[in-house]
Amino acid sequence: MDHFLYRDGILHAEDVPLPDIAAAVGTPFYVYSTATLTRHYWLFDEALVGLDHLVCYAMKANSNQAILKLMAGLGAGVDVVSGGEYARARAAGFSGERIVFSGVGKTASEMHAALIGGIRQFNVESEPEMRALSEIAVSLGLTAPVTVRVNPDVDARTHEKIATGKSENKFGIPIGRAREVYAEAAALPGIEVVGIDVHIGSQLTDLDPFREAYLKVAALTRQLRADGHDIRRLDLGGGLGIPYERSNLAPPLPTEYGAVVHETVGDLGCEIEIEPGRLIAGNAGILVSSVIYVKSGEGRDFLILDSAMNDLIRPAMYGAYHDIVPVVEAAPGAEPHPYDIVGPVCESGDTFAKARSMPPVAAGDLVAFRSAGAYGAVMSSEYNSRPLIPEVLVQGDQHAVIRPRPTFDEMINRDTIPEWL
Ligand SMILES: *Cc1c(COP(=O)(O)O)cnc(C)c1O
C-alpha cells in the first residue's frame, strides 16, 4: 500500500496534488511520502515483535538526509556500505550503536572513521578485511565488534545483478569455511565476534530462499557456539521485494517474512537485525516527468519525456519494469495506446518501456513512474549534463524540497581548470 492515489482524477502524494509540486519545482522530480516510509518501517518492526531486534534501514536504497532523519526518529538502525554513507548516518543523527557497516571492500580509512565515530558492528566479508580491521583497531586501542558475512550458496531467484548469496558471487565467505574463519577471528587482537551476517540478494519475491539461508545460519549458530564462540546477534540482511507491476502477484508481506525469521532463528536467543532498503523506500516514492513530444515513428509512437536514464537507471540497467501512469486520470472509456517511452539522452538504452499500453497522453502532460523511491535518486547521474533532479518530501498537505535541482553554474563550477590551461 502507498499514499499516491487519484482524487477527483488528479494523482496526489498524500494530500498534495502532484501538479502543484510540478508548478513549484518544475519537472522532472522525485517525490516521497512520509506516511508510506513510516508505515513500511513499522511493518518490519511489528513483524519481529517477540524477538530482541533492530530494523537497520539499508540507506543505499535512498540516502537523502531528510529520509534518514525520519528513519532515525522512528528508532531505526541503519546499514551503511561506504564512508560516505557512514558520514550521512552520523549527520542524520544515528548514534554509532545504531550503525552497521556492510560491504565487500571497506578501506582502511573507512574502518578507521567508523571505529573512531562509533559502530554497532562491522559485517566482515573476507579474511584480509578481518586482519586489516584487527590492525586498525589495535592501533587505535579499540575493539571492533564483528559479524562474519557468510555466503550460504542459495539461489535467491532474482535478477543476476542483485543476487548475492550464490557461491559464484563476490560476497561473504563460503559458509563451509565459516568455522575456520571464526577461529581465526577469535584469535585476532582488537576483534570481538558478536554474531553472523547473511544477505542473499535484493527484490526477492519468494520466501523459500530466505528460509533456506536462515536455516543454514541457525545450524551454523549452534555449531559455532559448540566451538566456543559467543554468537549473540544475527544480521539477516535485506532483500524483500516489492510489487513493481501492479497486475502481478504481490510478493510476500513483511509479516510473512517475519514469520520465517521467527520459525528459522527465533529459538536461538539471538538479537536479530534485518536490513530492508527497497521495501521501505521503493513504493514510498514516484518520479514525475513531463511529456516533451509525442513522436510518430515507423509502426510505433514514442513518448519523449523530460526524464531519462540518468534520472532513473533501473530500466536501462536491469531491464526493470515501472508502472507509468498519467497524473491526470484518463477520461472514462479512453482507449489505451501503445507507446515506446523514452528519455532525451543520446543512447538507445535510454528507454523506459517498449510498446507500453497506457491511456493516451499529449505533449505537456505529466506522467508518474510508480515505485521509484528506492535505487532511483541514489543511482542518478548528470550524464549529458542533465542536472540531478529535485527530491521532494510530502507529509499530509505539506511538501518540501529535500534536495534542490542544481543550477547550470553550480554544475559547471564543480569542475576546476588547471592553471596551465
Ligand atoms: C543492498 C543491501 C541491502 C538492502 O537490500 P534491499 O533489497 O534494498 O532490501 C541490505 N543489506 C546489504 C548488505 C545490502 O547489500
Side-chain angles (χ1 to χ4, degrees), residues 83-415:
E85 286 197 351
Y86 180 85
R88 278 188 174 277
R90 292 309 309 266
F94 287 97
S95 65
E97 299 79 74
R98 288 189 171 269
I99 306 175
V100 303
F101 204 142
S102 299
V104 69
K106 300 176 200 77
T107 65
S109 70
E110 288 173 327
M111 295 190 279
H112 188 274
L115 276 168
I116 301 260
I119 190 81
R120 181 179 184 83
Q121 93 226 5
F122 293 92
N123 294 332
V124 171
E125 299 219 15
S126 67
E127 288 139 303
E129 181 194 339
M130 183 80 78
R131 291 171 202 139
L133 181 59
S134 164
E135 264 178 44
I136 296 163
V138 168
S139 76
L140 292 170
L142 295 170
T143 300
V146 305
T147 70
V148 175
R149 177 168 176 179
V150 294
N151 185 324
D153 194 24
V154 303
D155 184 353
R157 288 175 237 157
T158 184
H159 191 281
E160 58 165 333
K161 287 188 184 164
I162 49 175
T164 58
K166 282 290 281 175
S167 55
E168 72 250 30
N169 302 131
K170 68 182 175 182
F171 300 97
I173 57 135
I175 197 161
R177 288 194 36 243
R179 292 177 75 188
E180 238 180 275
V181 176
Y182 274 87
E184 178 178 352
L188 280 174
I191 296 284
E192 185 190 7
V193 170
V194 298
I196 305 173
D197 171 48
V198 70
H199 171 76
I200 57 174
S202 195
Q203 187 53 18
L204 273 72
T205 52
D206 179 356
L207 291 174
D208 287 342
F210 287 118
R211 188 176 288 111
E212 199 184 327
Y214 298 170
L215 284 172
K216 289 187 179 189
V217 168
L220 179 63
T221 303
R222 296 193 178 91
Q223 179 66 64
L224 291 175
R225 282 175 171 170
D227 291 346
H229 303 284
D230 181 13
I231 303 298
R232 53 190 185 271
R233 183 181 292 171
L234 301 179
D235 182 336
L236 301 176
L240 194 57
I242 64 171
Y244 281 102
E245 217 163 332
R246 299 214 156 196
S247 46
N248 272 9
L249 211 62
L253 301 170
T255 37
E256 298 168 297
Y257 169 81
V260 170
V261 172
H262 280 272
E263 161 202 323
T264 52
V265 300
D267 62 343
L268 294 167
C270 285
E271 183 182 4
I272 301 298
E273 295 163 354
I274 56 171
E275 302 170 342
R278 189 187 308 270
L279 203 145
I280 288 186
N283 286 338
I286 64 176
L287 187 165
V288 178
S289 182
S290 295
V291 177
I292 310 178
Y293 300 113
V294 182
K295 171 174 162 176
S296 300
E298 220 155 311
R300 65 191 66 219
D301 283 342
F302 293 99
L303 213 56
I304 304 175
L305 304 182
D306 65 355
S307 58
M309 63 189 291
N310 68 298
D311 305 312
L312 178 67
I313 205 173
R314 299 189 66 260
M317 183 139 143
Y318 310 118
Y321 179 100
H322 285 269
D323 270 340
I324 303 171
V325 298
V327 166
V328 176
E329 209 168 19
E335 273 299 309
H337 186 82
Y339 294 106
D340 281 13
I341 305 175
V342 302
V345 161
C346 308
E347 291 199 21
S348 295
D350 185 22
T351 299
F352 292 119
K354 284 201 160 149
R356 177 71 65 85
S357 178
M358 65 179 285
V361 288
D365 286 357
L366 297 173
V367 297
F369 291 69
R370 290 193 183 271
S371 309
Y375 307 104
V378 283
M379 294 180 91
S380 59
S381 75
E382 288 182 342
Y383 186 39
N384 279 208
S385 285
R386 296 167 47 82
L388 290 180
I389 69 178
E391 294 176 276
V392 175
L393 185 64
V394 164
Q395 176 173 269
D397 61 2
Q398 310 176 76
H399 67 92
V401 173
I402 57 173
R403 185 182 69 188
R405 193 191 313 275
T407 64
F408 292 149
D409 277 346
E410 283 166 342
M411 287 166 62
I412 293 165
N413 291 334
R414 262 187 251 133
D415 299 355

Side-chain angles (χ1 to χ4, degrees), residues 14 32-39 41-42 57 64-76 92-94 280 284 393-395:
E14 301 193 17
Y32 311 120
S33 156
T34 302
T36 311
L37 289 161
T38 305
R39 176 185 141 84
Y41 168 76
W42 286 120
Y57 170 58
N64 187 287
Q65 289 304 123
I67 287 174
L68 297 181
K69 180 139 196 249
L70 174 68
M71 286 295 144
L74 294 172
F94 287 97
I280 288 186
L393 185 64
V394 164
Q395 176 173 269

